[in-house]
Amino acid sequence: MDFFDNLRDKLATTGKEVSDKAKETAALAKLKTQITIEESKLKGLYADLGRAYYENPEDENIEAFKDSIGAVKELIAGYEAELAERKGLKTCSNCGATMAREVLFCSKCGAKNEIPEEPETEASEEACAGESVKKVCPVCEAEVSEDMAFCEVCGTKLDD
């Protein structure tokens, strides 16, 4: 009976893991869809603003368009931040580049970024797994990808 009990437990555990992964995937897809919808609204607002300005540059409604555009941009930024958080990513405080949460220095501009206190997730490891490692930092000998201008570990400018 031990064999069947172990099998049942393993199937239950695997089923839960698959279910959790499916829920996370669905949540990411929902966020991406919301971003797409809001970007479509934004394009429409820009078109309406342009049309209103062309027809009457002194129109009072132009300020209302600006407010609506700002609100949609904030909503999109919120969705993008949540999406990045779920994927284990963060944004460079200097240039806005996306990087793994545990990275200390931006690979695009070299700026030092704080590491968030949240625990490391599998998503951040998966985000980094796709990068091809082509070279090594001359100072700290960390592996870096070909497109990096600065080392993510020590911040040293990398030679091209």
Side-chain angles (χ1 to χ4, degrees):
M1 273 316 233
D2 234 8
F3 171 76
F4 290 111
D5 289 338
N6 287 340
L7 181 62
R8 184 190 68 231
D9 291 344
K10 287 182 181 182
L11 287 174
T13 301
T14 303
K16 182 171 176 8
E17 289 171 0
V18 168
S19 174
D20 291 345
K21 188 68 171 175
K23 288 177 185 176
E24 183 63 20
T25 301
L28 292 175
K30 183 178 178 183
L31 280 170
K32 289 178 183 177
T33 300
Q34 290 173 319
I35 290 170
T36 302
I37 289 169
E38 295 302 322
E39 286 174 342
S40 178
K41 286 180 188 177
L42 189 60
K43 286 180 185 178
L45 285 169
Y46 277 128
D48 292 345
L49 173 62
R51 191 176 307 108
Y53 184 80
Y54 177 78
E55 290 172 359
N56 184 6
E58 306 300 320
D59 191 354
E60 297 171 4
N61 292 329
I62 290 177
E63 287 301 316
F65 279 113
K66 290 180 182 178
D67 294 340
S68 296
I69 287 170
V72 171
K73 281 184 169 184
E74 284 182 31
L75 194 56
I76 291 171
Y79 288 143
E80 288 175 340
E82 184 178 349
L83 186 62
E85 176 72 23
R86 286 180 173 264
K87 287 183 170 185
L89 303 173
K90 67 179 178 182
T91 304
C92 175
S93 58
N94 185 51
C95 71
T98 303
M99 65 185 90
R101 187 178 290 134
E102 68 276 0
V103 169
L104 188 56
F105 291 91
C106 178
S107 65
K108 299 297 178 197
C109 71
K112 185 173 183 176
N113 286 265
E114 295 300 317
I115 297 176
E117 292 185 18
E118 293 90 12
E120 187 173 308
T121 63
E122 292 180 75
S124 63
E125 292 169 8
E126 292 169 1
C128 293
E131 296 180 25
S132 60
V133 177
K134 304 278 185 181
K135 56 185 179 180
V136 176
C137 174
V139 174
C140 70
E141 298 182 357
E143 296 178 343
V144 294
S145 34
E146 194 67 35
D147 63 338
M148 291 182 177
F150 292 87
C151 176
E152 295 175 327
V153 177
C154 69
T156 300
K157 180 160 178 49
L158 302 172
D159 297 327
D160 291 328

